Amino acid sequence: MRSSVSDKNRILLAGGFHKVKSLALSLIRKGYKVTVINKNYADCHSLAEIQAMEVIYGDASKPYVLEEAGADRMDIAIALTQNDEDNLVICELCKKRFGTAKTVALVNDPKKTEFFYNMGIDSVVCAINVVAGIIEQQAFMDEMATRIPLGSGRVGITEVFISPTAPAAEKRIWELDLPRDAIIGCILRGEESMIPRGDNRIFPGDTLVVISTSDQEKEVIRKLTGR
């Protein structure tokens, strides 16, 4: 039975188990209607215990499975399988065949990030880049005798575009007045993606991938963009 949540809040999660389960629970708490596709029957059985979520057993890279999951009614499709090629196919099918408004793909190989964007994927998240960014910035800030704890709260990843008038424009990473529980995990500049160090300068037109606790997200965006 479908819930009464607005169709504007529909999200499709494809593949994965632990990542999907954690993300789905967080999205459901925020009022989203979540549908999950997983080709492992045992994983589907476990995920189905989350009563507020619809679970589809099947391969999300197959059009008929996406059709059964209602991909044409989704606002966001997030591909989280362990296979980069599958994630690309899933996102492309959702975007081009089913008209999903926004697609997000997880990639394991950072060299594929640019290619995924060129293929029309709206957001590409590379776990290696994000983790490396945390390590790089933590090491730099440790040298400055400053500690940046991520805390025990829920952590979110946000893409923030830097306009020419944004407070962060032309500043170096270490100059940013960010909340304690926020860091810059990656800088997207044109067709490049880079892991920032504290002395990297931010330029107008950059997109910053920000990692922060959920309660700091709005403050981080305000600090970076002025809005």
Side-chain angles (χ1 to χ4, degrees), residues 97-151:
R97 181 161 180 167
F98 294 100
T100 306
K102 184 176 177 64
T103 54
V104 181
L106 178 70
V107 295
N108 296 293
D109 184 353
K111 295 178 181 178
K112 296 177 182 177
T113 301
E114 178 182 343
F115 175 70
F116 272 50
Y117 277 115
N118 289 340
M119 293 301 291
I121 309 305
D122 296 298
S123 296
V124 183
V125 178
C126 178
I128 293 176
N129 281 353
V130 171
V131 172
I134 294 172
I135 295 170
E136 291 276 5
Q137 289 188 66
Q138 185 67 56
F140 177 84
M141 296 306 289
D142 283 346
E143 293 174 4
M144 302 294 292
T146 303
R147 181 170 175 267
I148 306 179
L150 286 179

Side-chain angles (χ1 to χ4, degrees), residues 86-105:
D86 283 350
N87 290 340
L88 177 62
V89 169
I90 291 166
C91 287
E92 288 214 295
L93 283 171
C94 286
K95 173 71 75 173
K96 298 175 182 179
R97 181 161 180 167
F98 294 100
T100 306
K102 184 176 177 64
T103 54
V104 181

Side-chain angles (χ1 to χ4, degrees), residues 157-175:
I157 299 176
T158 308
E159 290 188 2
V160 181
F161 178 78
I162 303 301
S163 70
T165 58
E170 304 297 341
K171 286 186 177 180
R172 298 186 186 277
I173 297 290
W174 65 266
E175 295 178 301

